[in-house]
Amino acid sequence: MPASPSTARAINDRLALGLLQERGPLTAGQLKQLTGLSRPTVADLVERLTAAGLVRVVGESGAARRGPNARLYGIVADGAFLAALDVRTDGVVVLVADLVGRVLAEASVPVDGGAGTGPAVERVVAAVERAAKEAGAERLHTVGIGAPGLIDPATGDLRDSAGLPAWHRSLAAALQERLPGARITVENETNLAALAEQREGAARDRDTFVLLWLGHGTGAAVVLDGVLRRGASGGTGEIGFLPVPGTSSLPSATDCGGGFHALAGAAAVLSLAAAHGLPTPAVVDGPSAAGVVRAAVRNASATGASAAGGTATEGRPGKAPTGERAGRGAAEPGGGPVPVPGAGPSAAEGGPGAGEGVAGRAPGGGAGARFVAAENGPGSRDVVGGRSTGAAGAGSVAGVEPPARGSSADEGVPVRAGRDGARSVWQPAGAGDAGARFLAALADGVAVGAASVVAVLDPGCVVLGGEVGRAGGEVLAGLVAERLARLSPLPTEVRAGGLGGSAVLRGALLTARDRAQDELWSGRQSRP
């Protein structure tokens, strides 16, 4: 059945608005070319959207040529203002943006652990109000909140979760009271990170993938056929509780210390690094763990060693990869992980005690470790636009480049990637590279959790997100891919996340913008 005239107009208006959002200001001629609509139809919709206050003339094109210039139409950016919040255990990061997503103000608000619910909530709400004032926003249309914990799918409220401050659950109601008329949306932080990676990061070409969050804690977000899956209780992706080999105990309903969290949480990463003789900071959080991983990757490149986990003898390069493994980053299919002393077979080998090289030295998060995927302090990780506000982490080496091609075997030699065209990596030239062995052992643990997810969902792509995932980059992604290819028969690409810790805030902003635009475009486009 053909669409009615009003339905057709609504579809055309949405199409034009979407193009203006995606591409920026366009002329009527460009809208005609991109939409395939006739010139009269485009002229009609431009007039209609302008009258509704959704678009306006923002300039002219062709100013350098002679003759009349075409008007450029753009979305009315100040038609609504948005706020995005990344809620953490000890603080909140806030930003305020216009309707097209341009950031106008941002702030970081620490909250003392001993503060009561009332003072904590008041401090955060006041910071949001200050940021809105700084941005020139008289009122906020929509506020997107990213928080650790489970979101009730029926009510959209943050559920009571062990290990999280009580003020988290009171924040949305307080914002609603102080910001009358604003639409408040709360979403699990890992889910928001996945949405951001799909729209702006490493999964832009994927409709089905799993984001594996590696930060202070662990989590996963599942996107199937372009739809974010939350589950019956909102708990899809609580992978920290996943029972895996290599831990000293099993997880419980209130403690993920015996689950995958014990292999890949920040405490496990730092403990594993210390066991390999690497310098580690005293603070246990996502940025600290990321700093150690980043330093290991740099040092491995600087010394001509690789975390590929190959077993090349000292002074001799490992054999070139054949491209038989799935995912990014070259790795040696025939090599296998370097065992941790006293650990027994690695997780990738599937033997008894698999993964003990990771978990045996990293006892997990302990009591109260549930839902701790963002327990790092404000100002300690990426906030907006990739700007890092935290230290590099103990042991980091800045400005280190890999050895030049053609180095001697004693210095390590480059090995070209396989048929997938990934970057060259460095095979270990000596048996004593602690950073390379640490990365190999870390990849063992991450691959165990990833293999369980892949066996159930078959997503075809796993993105390593969070601070640790981004710090490991293509090196860690390649190692996990190589091990995953041995653990699972299902072809799976492994990618490094592109947004790191900033993904939660970006996801909150994107969610707020989508909701605001949906309401404004639906409510105004039919008005005269």
Side-chain angles (χ1 to χ4, degrees):
M1 178 181 294
S4 66
S6 60
T7 300
R9 285 195 296 269
I11 293 173
N12 293 340
D13 290 354
R14 278 302 188 100
L15 177 59
L17 287 166
L19 288 169
L20 291 171
Q21 172 67 69
E22 177 184 353
R23 297 173 179 260
L26 298 170
T27 66
Q30 290 170 326
L31 283 171
K32 174 183 178 297
Q33 181 180 9
L34 292 170
T35 61
L37 299 173
S38 67
R39 188 179 300 277
T41 300
V42 170
D44 181 57
L45 74 83
V46 167
E47 181 179 357
R48 186 167 55 251
L49 294 176
T50 301
L54 297 176
V55 303
R56 64 187 172 200
V57 177
V58 296
E60 294 182 341
S61 68
R65 64 178 176 82
R66 301 174 66 180
N69 299 323
R71 293 177 177 179
L72 280 171
Y73 295 93
I75 291 175
V76 179
D78 57 2
F81 293 94
L82 321 168
L85 280 68
D86 181 1
V87 178
R88 309 169 185 177
T89 299
D90 50 7
V92 175
V93 177
V94 181
L95 65 79
V96 176
D98 60 21
L99 189 57
V100 297
R102 184 173 61 242
V103 176
L104 305 174
E106 56 186 280
S108 181
V109 189
V111 177
D112 185 83
T117 298
V121 169
E122 174 59 30
R123 181 165 190 170
V124 175
V125 173
V128 174
E129 292 176 330
R130 287 195 303 271
K133 183 177 180 179
E134 180 184 343
E138 293 184 2
R139 61 180 294 269
L140 293 173
H141 183 282
T142 305
V143 178
I145 303 174
L150 299 182
I151 308 300
D152 189 318
T155 65
D157 297 331
L158 186 64
R159 291 172 51 183
D160 186 2
S161 302
L164 290 180
W167 63 267
H168 281 197
R169 299 187 299 279
S170 303
L171 181 58
L175 285 168
Q176 190 69 78
E177 181 179 353
R178 293 274 285 273
L179 304 173
R183 288 75 172 164
I184 310 297
T185 300
V186 184
E187 180 59 271
N188 173 267
E189 59 176 3
T190 307
N191 287 343
L192 290 178
L195 292 175
E197 290 287 359
Q198 186 181 33
R199 298 274 287 275
E200 301 180 345
R204 281 174 289 182
D205 61 336
R206 307 290 306 203
D207 287 331
T208 296
F209 70 99
V210 168
L211 177 117
L212 194 63
W213 182 272
L214 304 174
H216 185 99
T218 58
V222 178
V223 178
L224 302 178
D225 299 324
V227 179
L228 178 69
R229 307 294 179 173
R230 295 176 174 83
S233 64
T236 295
E238 286 300 324
I239 196 174
F241 289 87
L242 182 70
V244 291
T247 61
S248 58
S249 62
L250 290 174
S252 71
T254 58
D255 183 9
C256 63
F260 178 64
H261 176 84
L263 298 186
V269 173
L270 294 175
S271 182
L272 184 64
H276 283 79
L278 301 180
T280 57
V283 177
V284 179
D285 61 12
S288 297
V292 171
V293 171
R294 189 177 298 109
V297 171
R298 288 172 175 168
N299 289 333
S301 297
T303 60
S306 169
T311 55
T313 57
E314 185 165 350
R316 291 189 294 141
K319 63 183 181 181
T322 62
E324 296 173 358
R325 54 117 181 106
R328 285 186 174 184
E332 182 182 337
V338 177
V340 179
S346 72
E349 292 169 336
E356 291 176 5
V358 177
R361 302 180 185 272
R370 187 176 187 182
F371 311 131
V372 291
E375 293 184 13
N376 44 285
S380 59
R381 63 178 177 179
D382 290 350
V383 178
V384 178
R387 299 198 302 272
S388 177
T389 57
S396 63
V397 179
V400 175
E401 298 293 334
R405 286 182 175 274
S407 302
S408 68
D410 290 338
E411 296 173 335
V413 298
V415 178
R416 177 66 64 181
R419 293 189 299 269
D420 61 359
R423 296 179 181 178
S424 298
V425 297
W426 298 85
Q427 296 292 349
D433 189 277
R437 292 178 178 275
F438 157 68
L439 291 172
L442 176 60
D444 282 347
V446 173
V448 169
S452 299
V453 173
V454 167
V456 175
L457 298 175
D458 186 19
C461 178
V462 172
V463 176
L464 302 185
E467 299 95 338
V468 172
R470 186 178 187 186
E474 292 189 5
V475 172
L476 182 61
L479 299 178
V480 173
E482 185 267 337
R483 285 149 175 78
L484 188 57
R486 286 189 263 145
L487 289 171
S488 172
L490 305 176
T492 306
E493 185 178 9
V494 181
R495 299 179 178 181
L499 302 177
S502 68
V504 176
L505 199 58
R506 293 300 305 169
L509 177 57
L510 290 169
T511 300
R513 190 185 73 186
D514 288 349
R515 181 175 180 181
Q517 289 180 344
D518 184 67
E519 180 173 323
L520 291 171
W521 294 354
S522 298
R524 292 188 193 172
Q525 61 190 7
S526 60
R527 296 178 185 176

